[in-house]
Amino acid sequence: MTLLEYINSEERSFFLPDMGTNGLFLTGYKAYEVYTDPNKQLELAKKMNETFETDFIYSLCDGAIFCETLGLDILKPDYDFPSVLSHPIVDIESLQRFEVSDPYKSGRMPVNLKSLELIATNIDKPLFVSIQGPFTLAVQLAGATHLLRCVIKDPEFVENLLEFTTETVRRYAVAVNKVGAKYISIAEPATVTLGPERFKKLVVPNLNRIYDELDCWKALHICGDTNFLLDLMLTCNVDALSLDQIMNYEEVMKRIPPNIVLLGNLDPLELLFNSNVDTIRLETIKLLKKMRKYDNYMCAFGCNCMNDTPVENLQAAIRAGRMSYEELDNIEV
């Protein structure tokens, strides 16, 4: 079954949540208690599944796993994402001190693969996994300012670094696919800093090297205003695109082919975090009604949620986002 067939398998809207670290507050565990224990990962996934009735299952978001495995200095908050504190790869010489990670041997990767396998085999929903993309990983390793300067002044270093990051992400993504991930989304937020020509040269071929080896539903997420990149994003071999909440989906959908799913784009901050249940329900219904005529649209958040977004707010969005078409068509807003 394709992703498009899955979201049209019932007479209702489907919902893909991207809740990042929100499940920690449901279990009382700290982030690294979950990251390092497959049974706690499974427990968290089951708790999330009970609390948020969605159409996919997922693990605790693990965006820093590449940098952590490569040995970078990492800030490890108890209830939010880890983040990188240093950017040690600044030229070809420093790059040569690093080896591409082996997902079955390196760092915490084998533990995470076991966690994903447990979730995939114990919860009967498609397993959704979000993975950092090669260009965004390169930014993490080299620092944004330095890497963007090198795009102009040292293209040989950038080419070598992207070859390294693409192989790192490719090996891990293939392993994640093999243990049961049904839907893999690659997040490339840093690419919004590139112009179209450099996006075409530095991003598209590397993403397609990864997508072409995956046997699952494949998606691309980029934050910010991506109107100027959208046509190039569609040259990636994906089943779905996920865009930021600032994008006008009525206009965007006119450019999306009918075989590509567009998902989004409820505002994680102003709507889900700063608003209330009634407003969230109303705005979700408004979005669904705008997109009702497209069978390749799926409701979702525009990006990760704040880690302390109220549970009832998330539930309100998901409940409205999975509304039956009969109920939706009978509501006037």
Side-chain angles (χ1 to χ4, degrees):
M1 181 184 290
T2 66
L3 177 62
L4 187 60
E5 289 170 340
Y6 178 60
I7 68 169
N8 286 284
S9 59
E10 297 182 30
E11 284 297 310
R12 64 172 177 85
S13 177
F14 276 57
F15 200 105
L16 186 145
D18 192 352
M19 287 188 274
T21 60
N22 301 76
L24 292 171
F25 292 106
L26 300 175
T27 62
Y29 295 137
K30 297 176 182 176
Y32 272 81
E33 290 182 85
V34 178
Y35 284 143
T36 56
D37 187 332
N39 290 315
K40 286 189 170 66
Q41 276 273 15
L42 177 60
E43 182 183 340
L44 181 143
K46 287 182 174 178
K47 189 68 176 178
M48 293 286 281
N49 193 39
E50 294 167 6
T51 307
F52 304 106
E53 188 178 352
T54 72
D55 296 296
F56 298 81
I57 192 63
Y58 34 86
S59 63
L60 184 64
C61 194
D62 204 359
I65 193 166
F66 296 125
C67 293
E68 181 183 331
T69 301
L70 291 168
L72 272 64
D73 296 328
I74 303 287
L75 177 67
K76 299 178 178 179
D78 288 339
Y79 299 105
D80 209 345
F81 298 116
S83 56
V84 176
L85 294 171
S86 62
H87 312 290
I89 301 181
V90 294
D91 52 27
I92 290 178
E93 182 179 9
S94 55
L95 174 60
Q96 289 172 341
R97 292 197 288 268
F98 290 82
E99 292 184 359
V100 173
S101 304
D102 180 340
Y104 299 103
K105 296 180 180 176
S106 301
R108 191 165 48 75
M109 285 183 172
V111 176
N112 202 44
L113 292 179
K114 180 62 180 176
S115 299
L116 297 175
E117 185 175 30
L118 273 179
I119 295 171
T121 54
N122 281 278
I123 300 178
D124 189 22
K125 287 182 179 178
L127 173 59
F128 160 63
V129 179
S130 177
I131 294 176
Q132 197 171 54
F135 190 85
T136 300
L137 176 57
V139 165
Q140 298 264 286
L141 298 178
T145 302
H146 182 70
L147 183 69
L148 293 174
R149 186 181 294 121
C150 290
V151 167
I152 299 170
K153 294 189 173 183
D154 192 355
E156 183 183 1
F157 165 59
V158 174
E159 182 180 342
N160 279 267
L161 180 57
L162 288 176
E163 184 175 345
F164 175 84
T165 58
T166 299
E167 183 61 12
T168 299
V169 176
R170 187 196 66 80
R171 289 187 188 183
Y172 183 68
V174 168
V176 166
N177 188 188
K178 285 183 177 176
V179 296
K182 180 65 176 174
Y183 181 115
I184 295 179
S185 179
I186 296 182
E188 278 282 34
T191 61
V192 79
T193 59
L194 298 171
E197 285 304 313
R198 290 196 170 103
F199 186 92
K200 182 178 180 180
K201 178 181 179 181
L202 301 176
V203 179
V204 173
N206 293 327
L207 286 176
N208 281 339
R209 273 183 59 195
I210 301 166
Y211 288 132
D212 287 347
E213 290 202 31
L214 301 180
D215 181 21
C216 63
W217 302 331
K218 297 165 280 192
L220 173 61
H221 172 80
I222 302 180
C223 305
D225 184 348
T226 47
N227 273 301
F228 69 110
L229 295 177
L230 186 57
D231 292 340
L232 288 168
M233 293 170 69
L234 288 166
T235 67
C236 295
N237 300 329
V238 294
D239 301 283
L241 290 183
S242 164
L243 307 177
D244 192 285
Q245 60 271 14
I246 67 172
M247 299 290 283
N248 182 334
Y249 264 30
E250 287 180 285
E251 294 301 318
V252 169
M253 188 53 107
K254 296 173 184 174
R255 300 164 62 186
I256 304 296
N259 63 325
I260 301 295
V261 175
L262 177 65
L263 58 141
N265 64 343
L266 298 173
D267 189 329
L269 180 60
E270 294 303 326
L271 181 64
L272 295 169
F273 184 75
N274 286 329
S275 185
N276 57 57
V277 167
D278 291 340
T279 302
I280 292 166
R281 172 180 162 81
L282 177 62
E283 293 303 317
T284 305
I285 291 172
K286 284 182 179 178
L287 177 61
L288 289 177
K289 290 183 87 66
K290 287 178 184 176
M291 308 305 289
R292 175 71 173 91
K293 60 185 175 184
Y294 302 105
D295 65 6
N296 60 332
Y297 168 74
M298 177 163 53
C299 198
F301 306 140
C303 197
N304 284 143
C305 298
M306 302 286 285
N307 67 330
D308 51 351
T309 302
V311 168
E312 60 270 24
N313 288 8
L314 297 170
Q315 289 174 321
I318 295 166
R319 195 175 299 118
R322 298 179 77 240
M323 185 178 293
S324 72
Y325 290 142
E326 181 179 6
E327 184 180 2
L328 179 65
D329 292 342
N330 287 324
I331 295 175
E332 293 188 6
V333 294

